[in-house]
Amino acid sequence: MRSEKLDIKTVIGITGAYVAYMMGSGFSTGQEILQYFACYGIAGLFSILLCMGLLIFAAVSFTRAGHRERFQKPEDVYIYYCGKKLGKAYHYFTSVSIYLCFIVMVAAAGAAVEQHFGISRIAGAIAVGVLACATVMLGLNNLVSILGRIGPVMIV
């Protein structure tokens, strides 16, 4: 057993960042979930609870394994759980999925900018793409720090 002290500020920051990320990736209003699961009635409610449970389980498991094993690269957690070949495949799959989500986000933001501000769809998409690139250039530690401060506010 380790004698490391639990830093509650770090726990709140990581939890806040995770919540802010999840809320910003489609769970923000609950409307998306309601529309998708409502047509299944009570079974849809159980599906929502199952998704919530699986997300919590995955987040806790990955965080514990990462802390315990001190992985050199974030994708090492996939190799830890799935083996070398499947872990690498899962890493590539998630990388491609994140890239495709980014493309969809830029396209949707371009359409939203056109709808709300009357600016051309292409200019809006380029603006959002530039803002996203600037965010990445700030560094992921800064992003996690910012999201870690926003997340608890979103929870409250």
Side-chain angles (χ1 to χ4, degrees), residues 97-108:
S97 295
I98 290 169
Y99 174 72
L100 293 174
C101 287
F102 172 72
I103 297 299
V104 169
M105 176 192 75
V106 169

Side-chain angles (χ1 to χ4, degrees), residues 75 78 87-100:
E75 62 266 17
Y78 301 134
K88 287 269 187 198
Y90 192 68
H91 166 63
Y92 292 127
F93 171 76
T94 55
S95 297
V96 169
S97 295
I98 290 169
Y99 174 72
L100 293 174

Side-chain angles (χ1 to χ4, degrees), residues 61 65-66 68-69 71 75-84 87:
S61 297
R68 183 179 56 248
E69 301 297 325
F71 296 126
E75 62 266 17
D76 288 346
V77 74
Y78 301 134
I79 294 168
Y80 176 79
Y81 279 111
C82 303
K84 192 167 185 165

Side-chain angles (χ1 to χ4, degrees), residues 130-152:
V130 167
L131 288 171
C133 289
T135 302
V136 170
M137 287 200 240
L138 284 173
L140 291 179
N141 286 335
N142 289 336
L143 181 61
V144 170
S145 177
I146 292 166
L147 288 175
R149 290 186 182 105
I150 294 171

Side-chain angles (χ1 to χ4, degrees), residues 1-51:
M1 180 132 210
R2 292 193 175 139
S3 62
E4 296 176 14
K5 188 175 178 184
L6 180 66
D7 182 10
I8 195 68
K9 286 177 80 174
T10 303
V11 170
I12 290 172
I14 291 172
T15 303
Y18 186 74
V19 167
Y21 172 75
M22 292 307 295
M23 290 176 86
S25 62
F27 290 85
S28 57
T29 64
Q31 188 67 26
E32 297 86 358
I33 293 173
L34 182 61
Q35 289 175 349
Y36 182 80
F37 290 106
C39 65
Y40 297 105
I42 196 74
L45 176 63
F46 291 121
S47 298
I48 292 170
L49 295 174
L50 177 64
C51 287

